[in-house]
Amino acid sequence: MSNSLEITRPLPGARFGGTVWLAGKGGQSDARAVIDAAEASANALPEALAQCGGLLLLIGMQAIAEDPALLVRLSRRFGPEVEDYRQTLTRSNMVHESVSEIFVVSNIPSVGRQPPPLPDPPLTAGGKLPVQYPHRKGWHTDQSYRRPPPDISLFFAVAPVPQGQGQTLFADGAAAYDALPPALKQEIEGLEGLHVQPGTGRSRDAVMAGESPRPLAPHERSQQQPVVRVHPVTGRSALYLCESGQMDWVEGPLVGLEPGPYGEGARLLDELMAHLTRPEFIYVHEWNPGDLLVWDNRCLVHAATWFDAAKLERLMWRTTVHGNPGSLYTGERKSWIAETQEPASAS
């Protein structure tokens, strides 16, 4: 890294990831100093992200809560375009009131986003936090229902819940792909998943419940993505797929295989997701105020966990970075932007 930033890897309890520190500060951090150092050495953080398997932790970044524009400055270190959520049909109550590149994730009104339910049972037979699918559900990669899909997400803890609840889990898609049996690698070579925006009535639960999917506008249509995605920076192959809510269970989930929640495609997706989320491929992050995680959607999947939303309030901010999805997407227009959509006002 640069002379001002250093990295410790892997992340505790995991085989990938790294923690970014200010050099010579004995583990102390400061958001403005970290961002200044990152801007002075433009490739330092992107190179560290690639070297650490797509996950970086920056601690002590509380100054971002007071100056949210700092989060956008940091996000620009990872790619040429930071998404402006007021331009992408996002509900206004989920967009930061003064910095429209920030997506607000909170159970506090007016956002009111509730956490996922507790797994059933809430712990494994060994008394541990469940991580493996299907015991743990909700695994996804951000906005996989878009073409081109985004590169990087940054997630900042303004006010997390106490540790032991509200964790974020990450699975290493590259390590999981490397560990596949050769026959299964061959089976999925060239296979594509069919990804869809949540809330369209095409989730696994909706289809199993007999719900009728709503008609999709052209910019909402399901999008095909490779099950094995080659990372444009590292060249490594990684499993790139979600489960349940972000896969199209009407026409998919896997293109060319028997569709629906009980078909051939479902059986293969379940096998792949159970493999991808084996404990040896997982990092569990327990949040502290001021923590900031940077993750690479091109090679990782993640999942949120339950917290007691009846008693606790949680406030998190996310930005999304675009710009290098790989040669597969060269020249594509943004699938999620309606052709007749007028640019939204930034005010």
Side-chain angles (χ1 to χ4, degrees):
M1 296 194 69
S2 72
N3 293 331
S4 299
L5 297 173
E6 59 186 34
I7 189 164
T8 303
R9 57 177 172 167
L11 286 165
R15 299 180 182 179
F16 65 103
T19 305
V20 178
W21 312 92
L22 278 172
K25 296 297 183 180
Q28 299 299 312
S29 192
D30 173 80
R32 290 183 175 84
V34 168
I35 295 169
D36 286 345
E39 291 175 339
S41 182
N43 294 324
L45 287 183
E47 289 176 357
L49 187 69
Q51 293 165 3
C52 292
L55 187 62
L56 293 177
L57 169 63
L58 291 75
I59 64 172
M61 303 290 282
Q62 286 94 332
I64 291 174
E66 303 167 3
D67 185 359
L70 290 172
L71 181 56
V72 180
R73 277 180 59 192
L74 182 62
S75 302
R76 296 195 191 284
R77 298 301 92 218
F78 294 95
E81 180 186 352
V82 181
E83 181 165 332
D84 183 338
Y85 282 98
R86 295 204 186 278
Q87 306 289 337
T88 54
L89 304 178
T90 304
R91 288 184 296 165
S92 61
N93 65 312
M94 303 183 79
V95 182
H96 191 280
E97 59 183 9
S98 61
V99 181
S100 57
E101 293 91 348
I102 293 177
F103 181 79
V104 180
V105 180
S106 179
N107 65 315
I108 304 170
S110 64
V111 177
R113 179 170 175 164
Q114 296 303 299
L118 274 169
D120 184 19
L123 298 175
T124 67
K128 294 184 177 181
L129 182 75
V131 299
Q132 189 171 16
Y133 176 85
H135 191 176
R136 168 68 61 190
K137 292 185 169 65
W139 288 102
H140 67 285
T141 184
D142 285 342
Q143 299 174 355
S144 64
Y145 45 85
R146 294 176 167 188
R147 280 185 70 104
D151 300 349
I152 310 296
S153 296
L154 290 84
F155 203 40
F156 172 66
V158 182
V161 297
Q163 293 192 0
Q165 302 179 38
Q167 304 95 335
T168 305
L169 316 179
F170 295 88
D172 183 347
Y177 175 79
D178 289 344
L180 285 173
L184 189 50
K185 284 184 179 179
Q186 185 175 1
E187 182 179 356
I188 64 176
E189 184 68 29
L191 193 64
E192 292 185 311
L194 193 61
H195 298 245
V196 72
Q197 185 170 351
T200 58
R202 292 172 174 260
S203 70
R204 193 174 203 166
D205 288 345
V207 173
M208 292 175 68
E211 297 178 16
S212 296
R214 67 173 175 82
L216 300 179
H219 66 279
E220 298 176 310
R221 288 175 183 160
S222 304
Q223 299 295 320
Q224 296 180 201
Q225 307 283 8
V227 169
V228 180
R229 188 172 178 190
V230 178
H231 196 284
V233 177
T234 68
R236 294 186 70 187
S237 295
L239 290 175
Y240 185 80
L241 68 167
C242 311
E243 45 93 353
S244 190
Q246 264 180 228
M247 304 301 289
D248 185 330
W249 294 87
V250 176
E251 300 176 54
L254 300 178
V255 178
L257 299 182
E258 181 186 8
Y262 306 106
E264 179 188 12
R267 290 190 292 272
L268 180 54
L269 183 139
D270 286 345
E271 180 182 3
L272 292 171
M273 288 304 307
H275 172 84
L276 173 55
T277 56
R278 280 165 34 184
E280 62 263 37
F281 305 134
I282 302 300
Y283 170 67
V284 177
H285 188 67
E286 299 275 4
W287 289 95
N288 291 302
D291 282 358
L292 192 153
L293 279 175
V294 183
W295 68 80
D296 193 325
N297 289 292
R298 298 166 292 190
C299 59
L300 302 182
V301 295
H302 61 281
T305 67
W306 173 89
F307 64 90
D308 189 350
K311 297 179 180 179
L312 300 171
E313 293 186 339
R314 181 178 190 248
L315 177 59
M316 314 287 282
W317 291 344
R318 192 189 80 195
T319 58
T320 306
V321 181
H322 304 256
N324 188 17
S327 60
L328 176 66
Y329 304 94
T330 299
E332 289 192 11
R333 68 176 300 275
K334 295 176 178 179
S335 67
W336 65 95
I337 304 295
E339 293 192 22
T340 58
Q341 180 184 336
E342 295 294 331
S345 170
S347 61

